[in-house]
Amino acid sequence: MVEKAENGSPNFRMPDGEASRSEGADTVANMVADTPADTLAAGGRSFLRMRLWMSAILLLALAVTGVGLVFSWVSTERDRAVRGWQDKLAIVAESRAAAVGDWLQSQREVVASLGRDDVLRLYVSDISALAPDRVADDVPVQAQFLENLLVVTAARTGFNAAAVGPDVRANVARVGRAGLALLDPNLEIIVATPDLPPLTPALRAFVAGQAAADGPAMFGPFPSPADGTASLLFTAPIPGVQDDRQIGLVVGIRPVAMPLFGLLKQPGTTEETAETLLLTAEGAGVRYLSPLADGTAAMTRTRALNTPALAAAFAIQNTGGFGLYHDYRDVPVLIASRPVPGVDWVLAYKVDREEALGGADRRLTRLALILLLAIGLAALGIVAAWRHGASRRAESAATRYRDMADRFEQQAKFIRKLTDTQPNAIFIVDRNDRLTFANARLAQTIGAHDTDELVGKTLTGVFGPAAARRYARYVRDAFDEECNLLSVDRVEGSERTGQAGEDRVLQNQFVHLPATDHVGAGILIVEQDISAAISERERNERLLQQLAETLLAVVDRRDSFAAHQSARVAQVAAAIADEMGLDAVLVDTVDKAASVMNIGKILVPRALLMKNGKLTDDEIERIRHALAAGVDLLEGVEFEGPVVETLRQTRAHVDGNGEPAGLAGDEILVTARIVAVANAFVGMVSPRAHRPGLTFDAAVQNLLDGAGTQFDLRVVAALINRLDNHGGRSNWSNFSVPPPGIRGVVG
C-alpha cells in the first residue's frame, strides 16, 4: 500500500563545508590585519567592483528566470483548467449517451415484447391462416383483442399522441402522430391503434427490408407526416407458434421531442451556454438531429464535415474525443463526444469557451501582471538594498559565517539527539541510493556498531538485496514525483537477520527533502513495525466473521427455503459493487451488510418462516420488525465501513417513499442501494415455500419496472451487465435450485 502525503519536512543534514568557511573567514581577517592600508583599500575597491558585476549578472538571470517561471505557471494553470473541463464534459457526455441509449433500447423492447407475446402470436397465426375469401366467426374477437392490446400498450409506453387536425364531425382528415400496428407477411395491416400515422414510401421501404429480420430495428429520426416533428419507427418480428418462422411484424411509431430530447438536459447543470447535441454522419456532412439552442428545429440543419474547425465534425470523426472548436454559431466552444449505444448517433456536449475559461484567463492574466510587477519591484529593491549595504557586507561577512557555522553545528547536535531517542528507525537516502544520515535505532536494528558505519553505504550494503529493492522502488517514486509516500509491506522475518522468524508488517514514510544551496535532495525514511497492531486487527476481523457465520448458520437451519440466502445476496451485492468500481472498503461493506441482513430471523418463529402459502400483512409486518431488531443487535459492533447504516437504509426507495421516510436518491448510501437490488434479485429467483423462483429475465424485468421509484437504475444496470457480460448467469444458476430436502414448492 502506498499513499501520497503533503510535502514539507525538515532537512536533518548539516550543510557541508560550514566549518571550513568559518576557518577561512578567520584566515581572511588575519591577512587583512597584516596588510598596508593603501593596498587593502585598493584591493577592497576591486573586490567590491567584482562583486557588483557578479551581483548584477545574477540579478538579471534571476529576473529572466522569474519571468519565465511566471509564464510557465500561467500556462500550467490554464492547462489544468482545460483538463478540469475535459473531465466534466466527458462525464456529462457519457451520462447523457447512456441515458439516450437506454431509452432507445426500452423502445425496442416495447415492440420486441409484443412480438414475443404468446397470445398475440397465436391470434396472428390464426388470422393469417384464414383463406382470403373466408372470415371465421371468431376473427373479429381475436382482432378486437389484439387492437385492445395495442391500445393499452401504446398508452402505457408512450406510443400514442393526439392526431393533428380538427376533431369535428366533418369530412376533414386527421393525421396521426404515433401508434402501434401488426403487419402480416405481405406488410398489410392486421390491426392497428386508431391514430397510427400513414406509412410513407420511405417508411414502407424500411419495413419491407425488415420482413426477414430476426430482431428489433429502428428507423429515423424522420419528419412526422402530421406536423413535421421528429419521430422514430421501431419494428420487431413476430415468430410463429410452432417454429421460429416469421409470420408478421410489430411496427411502432412515436414522436421523440419530449422523451428523447428531454434526456439531453443534464440534471444540475449550471452553465448557461451548455448544450447537448445529437449528431449523425450523412454522406459528406453532419446532421444535427436534436433541436438547437438558437431555435433551429430538429433535423433541419446540416454542415459539411470538412468545415474548418467545426465542433460537430470533430465530434463525428473523433468519437470519445475532447477539443476546442467552433460550433454552428461560429462561437469557440469546448466539446466532448461519446457514441450512443446501439445506433450510429454521436452525442456531443459543449460549453462556450468564454464561460468555461474566460474567468480563469482574466484571473491568470491579472496574477501574471501582479507577479511580473512584484519581480520588477523586488529587483529594484535588491538593487537599492545592495547599494545601501555594500559597504557594510564585507566587514560583517566573516562574523556571519562564524555564527552560521555555530548555529548549524548546534542544530545538527540537537537533531542527532532527537532522532536517536526515537523508537523507530530513521535514515536519509540520496539519489544514488546511499545513506546520508542514520539514527541509533537503525544501527541497533541491523546490528551496526554506530551510525557513522552506515553513512555512505548503499541500501544493498546496509539492508541486503531484498529489502534494498523494496526501499529503492518507493525512493525512486518519491524523487520522480517530488512527493511524500506511505507504504505498508509484509516482509519475511529473515529479511535482515538472515535467520528464519515471524513475518513482520513494516510501515514506512518516505518524505521528500528538497535540495538546498548546500545539500542535495534526499528522501527521509521513517520505519515503524506495526506487526502487533495488524495482527490484532486481523484477529478481530476473523472473530467478527466467525460470529456472523455462526449466527447465519442458525438462521439457515431455521428457514430451509432461505438457506444460503444471505451468502448469495452478499455474493451478488459484492459483484455489483465491483461492477460499479467502488473502492475496497465499500465492496467489503456491502458484503458484510448483505451477510448479516437476515440475522433478525432468529427472532421469528420457525413455523412462520416455513409457512406454505401467502403471508398475511400481520405476518409480514412481524418479520419486518424482527429484521429491524436484528439490525439493532449489530449497533455496537465496530465495522470498518457503514454496515449498520447500510442495513437501516436497505428499505429506502429512490423516490423517497420507502423507509426511513423521505430518504431519496443519492441521499441513500450507495451500499444500501446495492444491497436492496441484490436482495430483491436473489429473493425473486430463489424458490420459497409458497412459490417457485422466477427466471433471471423475469427478475431483471421486475427490477427495471421498479427502477427510478424503488431501485437505483445505475445499480440495476450494473447487475444486468454482470449477468450478461461477466458470467453472472452461469455463476448464479444454482440460485433457482430448491434447498436440499425440499422436493418442490407450492405453485
Side-chain angles (χ1 to χ4, degrees):
M1 180 183 68
V2 179
E3 300 178 357
K4 289 188 179 180
E6 294 188 10
N7 207 342
S9 296
N11 193 323
F12 289 155
R13 288 191 63 196
M14 186 181 79
D16 298 331
E18 294 301 333
S20 62
R21 272 194 295 273
S22 178
E23 295 173 357
D26 291 339
T27 302
V28 170
N30 294 332
M31 291 176 62
V32 169
D34 297 334
T35 303
D38 293 341
T39 304
L40 179 61
R45 287 192 296 270
S46 176
F47 174 74
L48 289 176
R49 283 195 298 270
M50 181 182 66
R51 292 287 298 272
L52 179 61
W53 279 106
M54 292 179 60
S55 299
I57 295 173
L58 178 60
L59 179 61
L60 179 61
L62 289 175
V64 172
T65 302
V67 172
L69 290 175
V70 168
F71 284 106
S72 176
W73 174 80
V74 170
S75 177
T76 300
E77 290 300 311
R78 183 175 289 109
D79 291 343
R80 181 179 291 111
V82 171
R83 287 194 298 271
W85 277 99
Q86 178 180 358
D87 295 340
K88 183 174 183 179
L89 267 60
I91 291 173
V92 174
E94 191 78 35
S95 170
R96 294 304 89 205
V100 171
D102 290 344
W103 185 85
L104 293 176
Q105 180 59 30
S106 69
Q107 304 311 297
R108 296 189 190 95
E109 183 59 26
V110 169
V111 296
S113 62
L114 285 173
R116 295 193 301 265
D117 186 273
D118 292 337
V119 176
L120 182 147
R121 294 164 59 197
L122 179 62
Y123 283 5
V124 170
S125 179
D126 291 345
I127 294 174
S128 300
L130 295 176
D133 58 347
R134 184 173 63 86
V135 178
D137 294 338
D138 58 346
V139 168
V141 176
Q142 295 167 334
Q144 185 61 49
F145 172 82
L146 294 177
E147 182 178 352
N148 291 340
L149 176 62
L150 295 184
V151 170
V152 171
T153 302
R156 179 173 58 85
T157 60
F159 279 87
N160 63 341
V164 176
D167 188 9
V168 297
R169 294 182 178 181
N171 190 20
V172 179
R174 303 182 73 222
V175 182
R177 296 189 299 128
L180 292 169
L182 303 179
L183 307 184
D184 63 16
N186 296 322
L187 305 184
E188 297 297 329
I189 296 178
I190 300 174
V191 292
T193 56
D195 292 329
L196 178 73
L199 294 180
T200 64
L203 298 181
R204 183 168 290 277
F206 175 78
V207 172
Q210 301 302 312
D214 57 357
M218 185 192 80
F219 177 80
F222 59 88
S224 171
D227 56 6
T229 59
S231 300
L232 290 173
L233 178 142
F234 299 89
T235 66
I238 305 175
V241 177
Q242 302 298 328
D243 52 41
D244 292 334
R245 180 179 56 85
Q246 184 173 321
I247 62 174
L249 283 174
V250 181
V251 175
I253 300 175
R254 64 169 300 164
V256 297
M258 276 306 297
L260 177 60
F261 297 153
L263 295 174
L264 302 182
K265 177 65 176 177
Q266 175 69 17
T269 300
T270 59
E271 292 76 24
E272 295 181 357
T273 60
E275 185 177 6
T276 307
L277 308 173
L278 282 178
L279 310 168
T280 187
E282 195 172 87
V286 54
R287 180 174 292 277
Y288 296 79
L289 300 179
S290 55
L292 304 181
D294 64 355
T296 303
M299 304 184 302
T300 59
R301 174 169 289 178
T302 60
R303 287 285 182 87
L305 281 173
N306 61 356
T307 303
L310 181 63
F314 167 78
I316 289 289
Q317 297 168 343
N318 300 273
T319 304
F322 167 84
L324 173 60
Y325 293 88
H326 288 71
D327 67 357
Y328 55 87
R329 304 165 300 161
D330 200 27
V331 174
V333 295
L334 296 176
I335 186 169
S337 66
R338 291 294 185 273
V340 177
V343 293
D344 59 352
W345 301 352
V346 172
L347 184 141
Y349 185 69
K350 68 179 183 67
V351 64
D352 286 4
R353 185 197 183 284
E354 175 59 28
E355 181 179 10
L357 301 176
D361 286 344
R362 289 186 290 272
R363 184 175 64 258
L364 291 175
T365 300
R366 287 196 301 269
L367 289 175
L369 292 176
I370 292 172
L371 290 174
L372 292 175
L373 179 60
I375 291 173
L377 293 176
L380 292 175
I382 292 173
V383 171
W386 170 261
R387 290 178 60 86
H388 176 72
S391 61
R392 305 183 60 181
R393 279 195 295 272
E395 65 184 57
S396 62
T399 302
R400 287 203 310 273
Y401 283 137
R402 283 194 297 269
D403 292 343
M404 188 183 300
D406 291 340
R407 287 196 301 271
F408 277 126
E409 184 177 359
Q410 294 301 321
Q411 183 182 16
K413 290 179 180 179
F414 170 76
I415 293 174
R416 167 63 66 184
K417 184 175 181 179
L418 178 64
T419 57
D420 285 347
T421 58
Q422 297 300 308
N424 303 321
I426 301 174
F427 53 101
I428 298 176
V429 179
D430 64 12
R431 287 188 177 275
N432 297 319
D433 290 343
R434 293 186 179 275
L435 272 67
T436 60
F437 174 86
N439 72 340
R441 179 61 179 172
L442 177 62
Q444 178 184 354
T445 301
I446 65 174
H449 293 91
D450 53 44
T451 57
D452 293 337
E453 182 180 337
L454 304 178
V455 174
K457 287 187 177 181
T458 63
L459 289 172
T460 302
V462 174
F463 300 107
R469 285 193 296 271
R470 176 166 54 84
Y471 290 123
R473 181 173 69 256
Y474 299 123
V475 168
R476 284 194 298 271
D477 290 344
F479 270 127
D480 293 342
E481 301 182 25
E482 295 186 355
C483 67
N484 299 343
L485 303 176
L486 177 68
S487 72
V488 177
D489 299 294
R490 189 179 298 273
V491 300
E492 297 181 359
S494 60
E495 186 179 90
R496 290 181 180 171
T497 62
Q499 300 177 356
E502 294 185 359
D503 291 352
R504 295 175 301 145
V505 180
L506 300 180
Q507 175 179 287
N508 288 280
Q509 291 179 296
F510 297 83
V511 181
H512 179 259
L513 304 178
T516 67
D517 292 339
H518 310 293
V519 181
I523 303 299
L524 170 68
I525 303 173
V526 180
E527 183 173 83
Q528 181 179 6
D529 191 334
I530 59 172
S531 303
I534 295 297
S535 297
E536 182 64 21
R537 187 180 72 178
E538 292 175 347
R539 175 178 174 275
N540 291 338
E541 290 179 351
R542 288 195 300 271
L543 290 176
L544 182 61
Q545 183 66 28
Q546 292 169 1
L547 176 60
E549 292 174 356
T550 301
L551 293 175
L552 294 178
V554 174
V555 174
D556 288 347
R557 284 197 293 269
R558 300 184 74 249
D559 185 358
S560 301
F561 278 95
H564 310 300
Q565 168 81 6
S566 299
R568 289 173 177 175
V569 175
Q571 182 182 356
V572 174
I576 295 174
D578 179 69
E579 198 72 31
M580 295 177 69
L582 301 187
D583 60 42
V585 173
L586 293 183
V587 174
D588 181 70
T589 297
V590 298
D591 179 74
K592 282 188 170 60
S595 297
V596 299
M597 66 181 301
N598 290 324
I599 197 171
K601 285 187 178 181
I602 62 177
L603 305 176
V604 181
R606 190 173 188 274
L608 179 57
L609 293 175
M610 295 297 293
K611 177 181 177 180
N612 286 323
K614 186 176 181 180
L615 299 177
T616 66
D617 292 341
D618 290 340
E619 290 170 337
I620 293 174
E621 189 63 25
R622 187 175 180 182
I623 293 176
R624 286 179 177 173
H625 280 302
L627 293 177
V631 176
D632 293 336
L633 294 176
L634 301 172
E635 186 68 45
V637 180
E638 294 185 2
F639 295 98
E640 185 175 359
V643 173
V644 175
E645 192 59 29
T646 294
L647 293 176
R648 294 196 188 282
Q649 297 183 14
T650 52
R651 294 179 60 199
H653 296 176
V654 295
D655 62 357
N657 291 325
E659 296 179 7
L663 195 64
D666 290 340
E667 296 175 352
I668 306 171
L669 292 176
V670 67
T671 51
R673 287 177 265 150
I674 291 173
V675 173
V677 171
N679 185 53
F681 173 76
V682 174
M684 285 188 285
V685 302
S686 300
R688 290 290 181 266
H690 60 282
R691 61 156 177 82
L694 299 180
T695 65
F696 282 3
D697 291 335
V700 166
Q701 186 58 51
N702 288 342
L703 292 173
L704 287 173
D705 292 342
T709 55
Q710 182 177 358
F711 305 114
D712 187 338
L713 178 59
R714 293 168 294 181
V715 178
V716 176
L719 171 61
I720 295 173
N721 195 46
R722 178 55 65 107
L723 284 171
D724 295 339
N725 300 320
H726 296 141
R729 292 181 181 271
S730 59
N731 293 339
W732 304 331
S733 59
N734 62 322
F735 288 6
S736 60
V737 178
I742 304 299
R743 296 182 178 179
V745 295
V746 179

